[in-house]
Amino acid sequence: MSQTNNEPAIESFLPLTPAEFEILLALVDGDLHGYAIMQEVTGRTLGNMKLLPGTLYRALTRMVDKSLIRHVGQPDNVESDDERRRYYQLTALGDRVLKAEAERLSNQVRAAKAKKLIAKPNRA
Amino acid sequence: MPVMKVRFPIYEQIFWLLMRIYPSAFRKANATDMIQFFNDSMRREYTARGYLGIARLFLSMLPDLLMNAFTVRLDRIISLRKLGPSYAADYRLMYRKIRTTGEIMDTLWQDIKYAFRTMAKNPGFTAIAVLTLALGIGANTAIFSVVNSALLRPLPFHDPDRLMMIWGDNPKKDWPQLPVSLPTFFDLREQSKSFASMGGWTQTSFTMTGGTEPEDVLSGIVTSDFFTTMGIQPAMGRLFVSSEDNRGGGPNIIISDSLWQRRFGSDPNVVGKALTLDGRDYYVVGVLPASFKFITYPKDAEIWIPLGLDPFTDRRYARGVSGCGIVARLKPGVTVQQAQAELATISRQLDKAYPGDYANWTARITPLHEQVVKNLKTALLVLFGAVGFVLLIACANVANLMLTRARSRQREIAIRVAMGANRLRLIQQMLTESIVLAGIGAAVGLLFARWGISLIGHIPYNAPNIFTPYNVTAKPAAIDPKVLVFTLAITLLTGLLFGLVPAIDCSKPDLNETLKEGSVKSGSWRHNRARTILVIAEIALSMILLIGAGLMVKSFLRLQEVDPGFVAENAVTLDINLSSLKYRQEERTAAFYTQLLQNVSQLSGVKSVGIVDSLPLSGSDSTTGAFIEGLSAPGPSEKNEVHYRTASADYFSAMGIRMLRGRAFDANEQKPVTVINESMARRYWPNEDAIGKRVALTTESLRFYPDRAPDIDPTLGMREVVGIVTDVKHTSLDSNHVPEMFVPFSQRPQRDATLAVRTSSDVGDLGAIANLVRREVWNIDKDAPVSNVNTMSALLSKSVSKPRFNFLLLGLFAGLALLLASIGIYGVMSYTITQRTHEIGVRIALGAKDSDVLTLVMGQGLRITVIGVAIGLLGSFAATRLLSNLLFGITATDPATFIVTSVVLAVIALLACYLPARRALRVDPIAALKYE
């Protein structure tokens, strides 16, 4: 394996598990805490993907270890509720991995389209 | 939106406990956040669905937590080797390699064989463990199969979740669910938008002739959309069409599958054939499927007639006459709450349009499923909880046994670990052993369950009545595939539950300690702590069950002490239903019964005989408004509701109802008089003599018109009170006394009535008396059907069958729990004493007296018992709340029950300590010291 810097090759992170992908996607728009990540994912996938706490926090722990995300304090613009929460933030590495994964997935989708497996989306 | 910061301390505690399945590093990093996540989810679920939501949340999160905790632990074991990522990768490869199916099966098979060998080596241990588990698993399987058949099995209708019953609800009435009047049904059907369709039903009975003997058959009167709402397809022929809702249609009927078989010998060409009902010919247009059962009270309806043939022609004008039930099907997408809100609006509009008729009245939806299971649910869930406790206690016991045995295997295991055995592999092997053990327990348990079900299956859970005319146990409880899956699941869970602690515990032996020669007996505190906690848990759980059972017993005894107001002994009752055609004139009915009473009273052995239209505890009842002279404003007054019966002169003496003041009716009473009960006298004339006061019943004061609603004119029905009798428990022993009025049977003869016969000696042969009376009936009219022969004692006993069932089963489970817990505490004490033999020997050698040794040994048992009882008491305060609906005459925190149960449990637990403690006294100091 040849590597020029001390950061591991992006490809070594791929493919992401569905949970990892959804979490990274949820963090693109800003820092969120665990429950908010779950809500974002549930809302965006219209309830098709439910992140239960066991899966969510195992994935979060693993992704912090891999430096795809990092812990941050509560952002200032958030109305302080009475509970202290840890927020998660996308790292630069996480951002690159997410893009690479999205690219990989879209290639697969393109291949599927070429084989006429997906109907063209209706444009209003 | 402001979010309520509700907290759920108990559930939070449970969640904290659950977090312990994670390795401590993971827990430290994430537990606080995860608890917060859990709290957020719980708030959301609680707001949306209440406690059901919280239960769902736990169920959905539990497998996720377990799976992930396992994975995290596995990752940690791998990374703990600190051999770098390449090692971990290798390990993963290895792990994957091991998991080829063949090899997995080999390992598993090896473990199973090993398990059987170990069990065969310890037949005593195996037998006790299997028996304990079988009791626990068997009880759970039996109760689950009942829960399955009664609560979980969908009702046999199309899309049953959208089927609703609609009742009138008036908090001022004694019944929670009131039928509606036919005009009300029409209004609700017309004005509501929430329902796809709505059908009305009521019932009547016919005398069917033309067979071997005249037969009384129950008939449903239904609107044409009744069957379509239910989603029923005819097995043959057709259903009713909307034109048959109006008068003038042909005499068409639909018959049940049972009548089709019985009367027509399953004739495939039955459509178009005739049946004679009340002397008139009706023609069969359709046959219903065998699975369709709806009206089952007082017996199954076998004939269905369209609304257009309703014999009560005034029904459609009578807004005050409530006899209709409603079945409705919700439109897709409409919730019960939305539909209920709409019905509430319509109810208020009706109140405006018809002042007086709908005061305090609301049309109320009850989902059909809820309607069917409502009385059953609490009792079954309590019993389900109880058997759950029994299983937990059984697990604790077996876990204790395994801990004891593990001690004796500690050297074997230590040696294997020292030789480099994999810990996971050891745990896997021991878990296999416990699951095999649980499996054998389950096999035996299934036998227990089958026996148990046959015992439970005979109990009538939810006797149908006029308002809930549907019997859920039409299909008896049985062990079906769903039950087997449940048993399999609890077996695996049980195996893990009682196997995990001992397996983990002994897979990390203290090598230095254990391998040293002769140190086997120095029990480490860790082992004893696990055992002690298990026994404390057993005592606490038994305590909760015992208190629950104690409350049920006491409540049942209270119920037995209730004076029903009549004398149940030596009273036989029979139902007679005269044909409406032949007895159209009231004079004929009166003449029939006068003759019958006279003939029966002359039979030998008969002391007195009376007749009444609704017998106490028979499930039948009628109420009407009353006008109290000098008290009520003139006009209809729903708030003066009374229960009324039509009874003959000797009814009171035949039933043993005491006359307190005044007189009963004359045999041929001519004056408009009435006899009332104590409650009525007390309510309306609290400080005066009720005798001589005048009352009118709404039903007797109606003036009918051919084309409009009837008027009420109290002067039509005014009656004078001539007697006051004791209160009678009419609906059930736990019901409240209500105002009750009796009117002379000779003045309001009823075709359908019950004969009450008081015999002089104990009714030795019920059948003989019944036959004599039946012969007298047929001597007068050979076509008159006689049914429902009973004794009042049997009716009384049947009326408490549900509480008796609850207390017997809960008592049985509590006894089982107590037995298992005693065995548990006995086991722990014996074990401790064996371990302390050396110490005790030394003490005796140094001059300790018997009492000193006993104090020493019993002290430990006492501590365990007191802690267990204390926790159990706390738990009971929380748990018995669930019982409050099932109790009669005592509160769920009845102090006497709590105290007595605590003392009984403590005494039994201490006895279980005392037996092994006495052994300590016999310790021979010389032998004990030599043992070193």
Side-chain angles (χ1 to χ4, degrees), chain A residues 34-35 38 51-58 61 81-86 88, chain B residues 5 22 26 29-30 33-34 36-37 40-41 43-44 60-61 64 68 71-72:
Chain A
Y35 189 73
M38 183 276 291
L51 278 177
L52 290 167
T55 311
L56 176 65
Y57 281 93
R58 187 165 70 83
T61 309
D81 43 13
D82 54 343
E83 286 141 353
R84 200 167 40 85
R85 295 169 193 272
R86 268 193 316 183
Y88 295 87
Chain B
K5 291 284 174 197
Y22 282 95
F26 186 92
N30 293 311
D33 281 23
M34 288 177 76
Q36 208 142 83
F37 185 106
D40 288 338
S41 314
R43 244 171 245 148
R44 187 193 56 206
S60 68
M61 283 189 176
D64 167 71
N68 280 293
T71 321
V72 168

Side-chain angles (χ1 to χ4, degrees), chain B residues 516-530:
Chain B
K516 260 193 287 174
E517 198 59 43
S519 60
V520 181
K521 65 183 178 304
S522 64
S524 77
W525 188 69
R526 203 182 65 217
H527 285 268
N528 281 342
R529 188 181 59 167

Side-chain angles (χ1 to χ4, degrees), chain B residues 294-317:
Chain B
F294 186 69
I295 298 178
T296 56
Y297 177 86
K299 51 185 168 182
D300 291 354
E302 295 189 299
I303 289 174
W304 301 82
I305 66 171
L307 185 62
L309 297 180
D310 183 359
F312 181 21
T313 47
D314 295 312
R315 200 194 301 275
R316 56 187 66 224
Y317 302 109

Side-chain angles (χ1 to χ4, degrees), chain B residues 76-371:
Chain B
R76 187 165 151 272
I77 288 170
I78 294 158
S79 58
L80 265 189
R81 309 262 164 166
K82 293 203 167 116
L83 291 170
S86 63
Y87 181 86
D90 283 354
Y91 187 91
R92 281 211 179 90
L93 280 175
M94 252 165 55
Y95 189 68
R96 204 168 289 147
K97 189 168 160 287
I98 290 170
R99 310 221 94 186
T100 61
T101 334
E103 272 165 345
I104 263 198
M105 290 313 289
D106 274 357
T107 326
L108 195 62
W109 183 232
Q110 242 177 44
D111 286 350
I112 291 176
K113 275 197 298 196
Y114 184 79
F116 274 106
R117 268 209 306 277
T118 326
M119 283 190 286
K121 258 193 271 175
N122 298 288
F125 161 83
T126 310
I128 292 178
V130 164
L131 194 67
T132 308
L133 291 170
L135 286 172
I137 295 176
N140 273 275
T141 303
I143 293 295
F144 178 77
S145 69
V146 175
V147 169
N148 177 40
S149 78
L151 302 185
L152 303 180
R153 195 147 46 193
L155 296 173
F157 300 114
H158 169 68
D159 200 0
D161 288 345
R162 286 199 288 127
L163 275 180
M164 307 287 142
M165 303 280 254
I166 300 175
W167 299 105
D169 175 22
N170 187 340
K172 303 232 153 129
K173 304 267 182 153
D174 302 317
W175 283 94
Q177 295 184 321
L178 305 160
V180 302
S181 67
L182 191 60
T184 311
F185 164 70
F186 287 140
D187 288 342
L188 291 177
R189 185 172 66 178
E190 205 168 292
Q191 292 173 34
S192 66
K193 309 259 179 301
S194 305
F195 303 97
S197 66
M198 203 186 270
W201 55 274
T202 183
Q203 61 197 58
T204 186
S205 66
F206 286 112
T207 303
M208 184 170 74
T209 44
T212 44
E213 65 177 65
E215 198 182 338
D216 178 58
V217 284
L218 190 69
S219 161
I221 306 170
V222 294
T223 61
S224 57
D225 30 20
F226 173 79
F227 291 116
T228 46
T229 302
M230 289 285 211
I232 296 295
Q233 297 293 325
M236 231 178 289
R238 64 167 175 91
L239 298 175
F240 295 132
V241 294
S242 55
S243 62
E244 286 171 298
D245 285 346
N246 303 319
R247 301 229 154 251
N252 298 330
I253 55 169
I254 291 175
I255 60 172
S256 73
D257 182 80
S258 58
L259 188 67
W260 172 60
Q261 293 185 18
R262 195 171 81 235
R263 192 57 185 266
F264 294 100
S266 308
D267 177 3
N269 298 315
V270 69
V271 173
K273 296 243 160 98
L275 262 186
T276 311
L277 304 173
D278 285 355
R280 189 179 157 194
D281 281 349
Y282 288 82
Y283 297 92
V284 176
V285 295
V287 179
L288 293 174
S291 63
F292 181 77
K293 272 200 171 175
F294 186 69
I295 298 178
T296 56
Y297 177 86
K299 51 185 168 182
D300 291 354
E302 295 189 299
I303 289 174
W304 301 82
I305 66 171
L307 185 62
L309 297 180
D310 183 359
F312 181 21
T313 47
D314 295 312
R315 200 194 301 275
R316 56 187 66 224
Y317 302 109
R319 213 163 263 283
V321 180
S322 303
C324 257
I326 304 180
V327 168
R329 183 173 287 278
L330 278 183
K331 272 185 191 157
V334 177
T335 65
V336 174
Q337 287 79 6
Q338 288 164 347
Q340 181 57 59
E342 191 195 34
L343 287 185
T345 313
I346 298 175
S347 304
R348 282 193 298 276
Q349 287 163 359
L350 283 175
D351 186 26
K352 265 191 208 121
Y354 306 94
D357 282 342
Y358 296 95
N360 300 316
W361 184 93
T362 316
R364 178 96 44 220
I365 298 179
T366 309
L368 185 60
H369 191 261
E370 206 178 299
Q371 178 88 43

